[in-house]
Amino acid sequence: MEEWKWYEKPLRILDFIPPGPGKYEQTDIAREMKHRAELGFNAEHLEVMDVASGASNIFYFDSDCALEKRKDMLKEYTVQCRKNGIHSFIYVNVHWAAENVVKRYPEWVERLPDGSIITASYGVGAYHCVNSPFKDWTVRVLQDLAKYDIDGIFLDGPIFNEKGCFCDSCRRKYEGRYGYPLDERVLTDRKKLVDYIEFKKTCIAEFVRDCYQALKACNERLILYMNSVGLNPNRHCSRDNNLTIPHQDLLGAEGGFLGGNLTKLPIFKPAMSAKLLETQADGKPTIIFIAGRMGGGWNRMLLPPAETVIVHAESVANGAGTWYGIYTENSYDPRMETVRELYRFLQRNETYYTRTKSAARIAMVWSYATGNYYHSSSEETDFTALKLREEQDEKSDARASLVGWYDMLIRNQIVFDLIDDYYLANKDLSRYEVVILPNVSCMSDKEIEKIRSYVANGGNIIATFDTSLYDEFGYRRDDLPLKDVFGINRVVKKELLKKDHLFVERSDAYMKEIDDSFIAAPYYSMYVEPNANAEKHLTFREKMSSVYADVPDPIPYPVLVKNRYGRGQSVYIAGTIGQMYHDFHLIPYKRLAANVLDDLTGRDVVVHAEVDSVQVELREKDDVWLLHVINYTGGMARPIDKVIPLRDIRIELFRDAVSARSLALEKELPLEHRQGSVAFVLPELAIYDVIVLPKARLNA
């Protein structure tokens, strides 16, 4: 039997942010580590460097790199970690320099074109530059840490701020690599901007590579990983997971940071991040970082129990381990009982979370190129300020389009993966029956040919609005290069439709369970001329002169074009229905998405419940199917105070299985066998459950 490495088993990582110097040194380490093990954690990010106002280079371990050495707490921490069965990662902040470090090492920090220091988004301090002598200092720190009985290193960062860096180290390295000076023109000249963005992403990867190699040279068993980018345009931080994953043992991101106004944050944010990381990680374990606190400045106020369970469930249901971060002052908070109960459940059922894989037959694409070079909103993170979407007459919002599609899919209980544009260009798509391209506006020639070949060989796609109209650097093409696959002769024009409606024919095959006589037209739409062999579904109307005017007549431009190309099929949707659902949650769009997918491939799971706020994830391991079911039915507010339990949910799974067992209820569920599927009733769903269904053997 193949032996698993310790970090390949489900990780439940703790990070208790410590108090300041002095108070921290009074910690009863033996008592605290025993408490953490009792809570169910099996690993910890040990913070033995003061970062209260940025990395101050005050160390609680022995190193000549320190500006101030305090009590060596790491030595006792490692003893107690081993005693309590907790693996130790040392937290190393490599992005935020405290003011005392900036004054001592001004050559370490990122700068604007005029030479001024870029202030960190935390309000004090500055950003470390990975091209400066700071990198050599970091390597020496890692070598000193490797002398202790630790298990690995976590790098918080590194990043480049979007406005920099133009320090002397970056200028020398950039000119040596590209042959022209690094100055403010790289922010305005399109060709130079492309070089500059790629330069920064490469430099981040080189920093991580050098740290990784130095650590492994000290001790091959030590592992290293960093705070990676999630589902955001990565030009804001310059981290590229596909460049850094060769130099990491895990891939983690802040998918569970739920700060700010939660009413504007998707409840499925952790799942989005976990899905994306899994397809980027190249088989390595993934971690979702969960901030147990409310955020928004109230960092000692913890999330309510319902939100705590949901954010964990969204993560583990998509194959990820978890990191849970709160302040030391919260370590005995009554809310920690929720964490204890949840982790006991995960411990008891650890085998069903170890080395599982997605069973999805559908993939949806997140395009970093579209986010970087076209137009996209971005959520606020510890590294970047909130990026608000601006209204543009021609360009949609890449991230809003994907999030809207994501919402429509999970509310229809569609099982799917998230892949990025690197995966699209370089990996095998044949495992998927459908690939969804939600406004993937920027595509390289390689990606276009990959899609064309995929469909010709029997794959199916759904594409929306101006997918493929721009190249991978945001330059507009003269025409849609995938129009032959879409079944389109030509694009007539783009239209901004703010108060207009579609023409609906009730008999249309894609109108199943949609009873609306009028459906809002997508804000951003394309008028296209389909070819003679393509199917046409729904049509646009003439633009309204005012909201009170009579509804105008239809025009001969279809909303959906279905086309057969080779052995596969394409459904092209000539508007931004994902962004419309993100902004307005229009029910007809949700049902339209389900009808199109049912036509192309059919379901993996059908859930009969009174509400659509039930998410399912289908995974498999060896001889079992694992159906994760998450209930986020609350009181129409975020954060969710209490989840409303659902009862007698009838679920049909289109797989063969011999039995069904609920892990949450700890009971067998009577299984009904059908032609090509099995069905069962889940008597009660509180928040989260996993149904284990052993596969039917062919020779049984």
Side-chain angles (χ1 to χ4, degrees):
M1 185 182 219
E2 184 180 1
E3 185 176 350
W4 296 335
K5 298 175 182 176
W6 65 268
Y7 59 88
E8 292 178 327
K9 295 182 180 181
L11 288 174
R12 300 178 298 277
I13 305 171
L14 170 69
D15 191 334
F16 275 161
I17 301 171
K23 188 175 182 180
Y24 185 34
E25 291 170 305
Q26 303 306 311
T27 301
D28 185 339
I29 295 176
R31 174 176 178 265
E32 292 304 316
M33 296 308 297
K34 180 180 178 182
H35 174 59
R36 295 167 193 187
E38 289 172 347
L39 287 172
F41 294 99
N42 59 15
E44 181 169 1
H45 281 185
L46 293 173
E47 300 205 20
V48 289
M49 304 177 186
D50 175 62
V51 291
S53 297
S56 64
N57 293 1
I58 297 174
F59 289 179
Y60 301 95
F61 63 97
D62 187 32
S63 172
D64 291 337
C65 294
L67 289 179
E68 180 184 344
K69 280 190 279 189
R70 305 288 293 242
K71 176 182 178 182
D72 187 346
M73 300 179 69
L74 181 55
K75 186 175 182 179
E76 186 177 354
Y77 263 125
T78 56
V79 170
Q80 294 300 325
C81 279
R82 293 286 178 234
K83 183 177 179 180
N84 288 280
I86 293 177
H87 292 281
S88 57
F89 296 93
I90 308 305
Y91 171 94
V92 181
N93 190 304
V94 291
H95 72 280
W96 181 25
E99 290 180 338
N100 68 313
V101 172
V102 176
K103 292 177 181 178
R104 179 70 176 267
Y105 303 108
E107 71 277 13
W108 281 13
V109 298
E110 295 182 20
R111 295 181 180 271
L112 295 168
D114 64 4
S116 59
I117 292 172
I118 302 174
T119 303
S121 61
Y122 302 95
V124 295
Y127 296 108
H128 291 118
C129 177
V130 299
N131 289 325
S132 74
F134 169 71
K135 178 164 71 170
D136 297 328
W137 178 90
T138 302
V139 166
R140 295 199 305 273
V141 170
L142 298 188
Q143 291 168 337
D144 289 340
L145 288 168
K147 297 173 185 176
Y148 288 81
D149 184 24
I150 64 173
D151 294 299
I153 299 289
F154 169 73
L155 301 177
D156 194 4
I159 68 158
F160 275 113
N161 183 268
E162 190 175 11
K163 299 177 182 178
C165 171
F166 296 86
C167 72
D168 290 342
S169 297
C170 283
R171 290 179 190 272
R172 287 192 298 270
K173 187 171 184 177
Y174 187 90
E175 186 166 359
R177 186 165 294 183
Y178 291 95
Y180 62 88
L182 174 61
D183 55 37
E184 64 275 5
R185 287 174 293 182
V186 301
L187 300 177
T188 55
D189 182 286
R190 190 60 172 275
K191 173 62 173 67
K192 291 180 178 180
L193 177 62
V194 169
D195 287 344
Y196 187 47
I197 291 174
E198 295 305 306
F199 168 74
K200 293 198 291 183
K201 290 194 295 186
T202 301
C203 290
I204 293 287
E206 291 168 350
F207 178 91
V208 178
R209 177 201 64 197
D210 292 349
C211 291
Y212 182 83
Q213 291 176 351
L215 189 66
K216 296 292 184 179
C218 293
N219 188 335
E220 182 66 27
R221 75 169 183 82
L222 297 181
I223 71 171
L224 180 139
Y225 78 120
M226 64 176 281
N227 193 342
S228 297
V229 66
L231 203 146
N232 272 314
N234 56 8
R235 67 182 292 175
H236 302 320
C237 63
S238 299
R239 292 170 294 173
D240 187 327
N241 297 349
N242 294 297
L243 293 179
T244 61
I245 189 60
H247 317 302
Q248 299 187 74
D249 297 292
L250 306 170
L251 186 61
E254 294 179 357
F257 275 51
L258 308 181
N261 185 349
L262 296 193
T263 63
K264 297 184 180 298
L265 191 71
I267 196 165
F268 45 80
K269 178 191 172 185
M272 286 196 302
S273 300
K275 284 180 185 292
L276 184 64
L277 294 187
E278 182 172 27
T279 60
Q280 294 174 328
D282 201 26
K284 295 179 180 180
T286 58
I287 303 290
I288 295 300
F289 305 141
I290 297 169
R293 55 195 185 273
M294 284 292 296
W298 313 295
N299 286 350
R300 271 70 171 184
M301 184 177 180
L302 299 187
L303 291 170
E307 292 272 355
T308 300
V309 175
I310 290 171
V311 72
H312 278 85
E314 295 272 353
S315 305
V316 299
N318 285 282
T322 58
W323 169 100
Y324 183 75
I326 58 174
Y327 283 78
T328 299
E329 293 96 326
N330 297 117
S331 59
Y332 292 91
D333 191 290
R335 296 284 171 83
M336 294 304 291
E337 188 59 32
T338 300
V339 175
R340 188 198 307 269
E341 292 177 4
L342 176 63
Y343 284 5
R344 283 175 178 170
F345 173 82
L346 296 176
Q347 282 179 304
R348 286 197 307 271
N349 299 294
E350 188 173 79
T351 185
Y352 299 118
Y353 295 94
T354 304
R355 286 198 174 180
T356 68
K357 63 181 181 180
S358 169
R361 298 178 296 114
I362 297 168
M364 184 161 60
V365 178
W366 161 245
S367 169
Y368 285 108
T370 304
N372 288 336
Y373 297 112
Y374 173 79
H375 185 59
S376 180
S377 56
S378 173
E379 65 179 285
E380 187 172 6
T381 71
D382 273 1
F383 305 111
T384 59
L386 180 67
K387 305 291 181 179
L388 296 175
R389 187 176 77 241
E390 300 171 353
E391 294 294 341
Q392 295 198 7
D393 288 345
E394 285 199 345
K395 292 183 178 180
S396 63
D397 181 334
R399 191 175 188 277
S401 293
L402 182 131
V403 172
W405 266 95
Y406 197 109
D407 203 349
M408 291 190 293
L409 294 180
I410 67 166
R411 288 182 179 276
N412 283 299
Q413 289 80 49
I414 304 292
V415 177
F416 64 100
D417 289 342
L418 268 184
I419 62 176
D420 63 12
D421 35 7
Y422 177 86
Y423 190 111
L424 183 61
N426 297 286
K427 298 188 179 181
D428 184 15
L429 297 177
S430 63
R431 63 163 289 190
Y432 298 113
E433 294 183 13
V434 180
V435 173
I436 303 172
L437 303 162
N439 293 58
V440 181
S441 308
C442 297
M443 296 181 71
S444 66
D445 290 342
K446 185 177 181 181
E447 292 169 62
I448 288 167
E449 290 310 310
K450 190 80 173 289
I451 286 293
R452 181 173 283 109
S453 174
Y454 167 74
V455 180
N457 288 311
N460 303 290
I461 64 168
I462 301 171
T464 66
F465 191 48
D466 57 5
T467 291
S468 80
L469 187 59
Y470 300 79
D471 72 11
E472 69 270 35
F473 302 118
Y475 289 97
R476 180 168 175 158
R477 295 181 168 104
D478 294 333
D479 206 346
L480 286 172
L482 284 172
K483 67 180 182 180
D484 56 332
V485 180
F486 296 161
I488 294 170
N489 288 333
R490 68 185 183 99
V491 174
V492 178
K493 61 178 177 178
K494 284 186 176 183
E495 279 286 12
L496 186 64
L497 306 175
K498 288 246 174 173
K499 52 182 176 292
D500 303 283
H501 300 80
L502 305 179
F503 177 70
V504 174
E505 290 187 4
R506 295 291 183 81
S507 60
D508 191 293
Y510 285 155
M511 288 295 292
K512 180 182 176 184
E513 296 187 7
I514 301 175
D515 60 4
D516 300 76
S517 300
F518 297 92
I519 299 174
Y523 271 6
Y524 301 93
S525 294
M526 301 266 275
Y527 291 169
V528 299
E529 179 185 282
N531 66 39
N533 296 320
E535 292 181 20
K536 297 169 280 294
H537 299 270
L538 308 180
T539 58
F540 293 98
R541 293 177 181 269
E542 293 282 0
K543 294 185 72 170
M544 295 187 70
S545 57
S546 78
V547 293
Y548 295 106
D550 290 340
V551 178
D553 293 333
I555 53 179
Y557 300 125
V559 180
L560 286 86
V561 178
K562 181 181 178 183
N563 185 55
R564 179 164 292 280
Y565 183 84
R567 299 202 305 272
Q569 298 180 96
S570 161
V571 173
Y572 170 74
I573 303 174
T576 55
I577 71 168
Q579 184 174 330
M580 288 290 283
Y581 195 79
H582 172 275
D583 291 348
F584 305 110
H585 291 91
L586 300 178
I587 295 171
Y589 284 147
K590 179 187 70 172
R591 291 177 177 162
L592 183 66
N595 291 340
V596 171
L597 279 163
D598 286 346
D599 179 39
L600 293 177
T601 187
R603 303 289 183 102
D604 293 294
V605 183
V606 173
V607 176
H608 299 280
E610 295 181 359
V611 292
D612 66 1
S613 46
V614 177
Q615 179 179 342
V616 298
E617 304 290 352
L618 181 61
R619 301 185 68 81
E620 60 180 309
K621 176 185 177 179
D622 301 327
D623 295 331
V624 297
W625 302 110
L626 301 164
L627 184 66
H628 298 255
V629 191
I630 304 169
N631 173 22
Y632 53 94
T633 309
M636 299 180 69
R638 297 282 308 277
I640 297 174
D641 182 20
K642 294 181 180 179
V643 167
I644 301 169
L646 301 177
R647 290 179 171 81
D648 296 328
I649 304 172
R650 184 169 182 81
I651 300 176
E652 185 173 7
L653 174 67
F654 290 86
R655 298 289 195 278
D656 287 331
V658 296
S659 62
R661 179 174 177 78
S662 160
L663 295 184
L665 300 179
E666 297 184 327
K667 62 185 296 185
E668 297 293 323
L669 307 177
L671 195 64
E672 177 185 340
H673 295 269
R674 298 180 172 186
Q675 185 72 30
S677 69
V678 293
F680 58 90
V681 173
L682 182 60
E684 181 178 355
L685 176 62
I687 300 180
Y688 174 54
D689 201 349
V690 183
I691 313 303
V692 179
L693 299 109
K695 297 178 182 178
R697 297 183 181 276
L698 294 178
N699 58 356

